[in-house]
Amino acid sequence: MASRDAPSSPQPSHLYDLVMALFVTVVIISNIASSAKIVDWGVSLFGLNLAFDAGTILFPVSYIFGDILTEVYGYARARRVIWVGFGCLGISSLIFWIVGIMPGEGSWQGYAGQEAYDKILGGMSTGGIVLSSLLGYFAGEFSNSFVLAKMKILTRGKWLWSRTIGSTLVGEGVDSVVFVMAATLSRVFPWNLFGTLVVTNYLFKVAVEIIMTPVTYWAVGFLKRVEQEDYFDYKTNFNPFRVH
């Protein structure tokens, strides 16, 4: 297995594109679910109602994919995937907006209607939720990838659990605060839900990462064997806006 620093060009990969596709799928579906429903299981923590947007159920998986990408392929190639996800999320929002302004057919207006569309799927195309999602996604994913890459060097590749969980604590915290803050300022969510959504999103996402640690270990081990890859970002330029 090759343990590399910063080669001039990436090695051929067998499963990199598949991981990218799964990552992007999770990002888009979780954002649609977030705009569609807020879930309340009737559970409270220290008097704080633990309600959360439905995308919270799936979105933590994107951070697991982010961990796997950075751990196996390195920050630069994870950065590429993050930008692909960012672009696809933006395109999805544009398509939902175009569909929303198209005239509705008569019978559809009767059993569903434009108002229902706007309330459920319109959230994916309105300025507030789109901006909030993109800002949270950008800040959180890059924070997660950066912290994991640095921790891998610090731990010399040992204790994978420490960097997957440690990077998630940072990345999910940044994502939750930025997303809910931007969405609240845009009047997508009411201010009285700000604390509930931030705390619940954060706790749930981190819990998913911890619970999924055995799966992350298996996926990382499998990809390292298949790809013959174990990247260390000793000489990486961590500028998130760098193309290559």
Side-chain angles (χ1 to χ4, degrees), residues 117-169:
Y117 180 91
D118 292 340
K119 286 183 177 180
I120 304 301
L121 295 177
M124 270 292 290
S125 60
T126 56
I129 196 69
V130 171
L131 178 63
S132 303
S133 297
L134 291 176
L135 287 176
Y137 169 88
F138 179 87
E141 291 288 353
F142 276 112
S143 297
N144 181 76
S145 186
F146 175 81
V147 171
L148 188 140
K150 287 296 188 180
M151 287 187 67
K152 184 173 183 179
I153 295 173
L154 185 65
T155 60
R156 299 180 181 180
K158 301 176 182 178
W159 310 315
L160 174 60
W161 62 269
S162 68
R163 51 187 180 274
T164 59
I165 295 175
S167 62
T168 297
L169 288 172

Side-chain angles (χ1 to χ4, degrees), residues 177-194:
V177 172
V178 171
F179 170 73
V180 179
M181 175 63 76
T184 303
L185 289 172
S186 303
R187 298 182 180 180
V188 175
F189 302 138
W191 277 106
N192 66 311
L193 284 179
F194 178 80

Side-chain angles (χ1 to χ4, degrees), residues 19-29 65 81 84-86 88-89 137:
V19 178
M20 179 190 297
L22 291 172
F23 174 88
V24 172
T25 299
V26 167
V27 168
I28 292 175
I29 292 176
F65 280 118
V81 174
V84 170
F86 188 89
C88 290
L89 183 58
Y137 169 88

